[in-house]
């Protein structure tokens, strides 16, 4: 579908940016479980592989973030 093609294209563009220059996705959401950028980051991570690390910058203590949602922590 056209929508999926656009998503794949967008993710691939972001992957190239990450590989070339590095990248930071910024969101104001306090809880990573509700941040749509987490889903984008997960998608990019599946393409880039183990060299891609997602780090959530939050006011919560790291152990509380880890308990929010294992896949997003």
């Amino acid at each position: 579908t056209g929508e999926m093609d656009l998503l794949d294209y967008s993710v691939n563009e972001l992957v190239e940016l990450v590989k070339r220059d590095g990248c930071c996705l910024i969101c104001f959401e306090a809880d990573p479980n509700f941040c749509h950028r987490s889903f984008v980051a997960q998608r990019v991570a599946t393409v880039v592989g183990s060299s891609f690390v997602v780090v959530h910058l939050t006011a919560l203590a790291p152990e509380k973030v880890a308990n929010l949602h294992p896949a997003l922590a």
Side-chain angles (χ1 to χ4, degrees):
T1 67
E3 192 173 301
M4 196 54 137
D5 292 341
L6 180 59
L7 175 62
D8 289 337
Y9 174 80
S10 299
V11 167
N12 288 333
E13 286 291 307
L14 185 54
V15 165
E16 291 306 312
L17 177 65
V18 166
K19 288 179 178 179
R20 185 179 64 242
D21 299 320
C23 182
C24 178
L25 301 175
I26 299 173
C27 179
F28 192 69
E29 185 62 56
D31 184 342
N33 290 310
F34 298 104
C35 173
H36 66 281
R37 287 171 184 84
S38 295
F39 301 109
V40 173
Q42 285 178 337
R43 184 79 178 260
V44 170
T46 62
V47 176
V48 174
S50 62
S51 64
F52 184 78
V53 178
V54 175
V55 177
H56 294 287
L57 305 177
T58 175
L60 296 174
E63 61 275 5
K64 291 191 182 215
V65 173
N67 291 327
L68 292 175
H69 191 294
L72 300 177

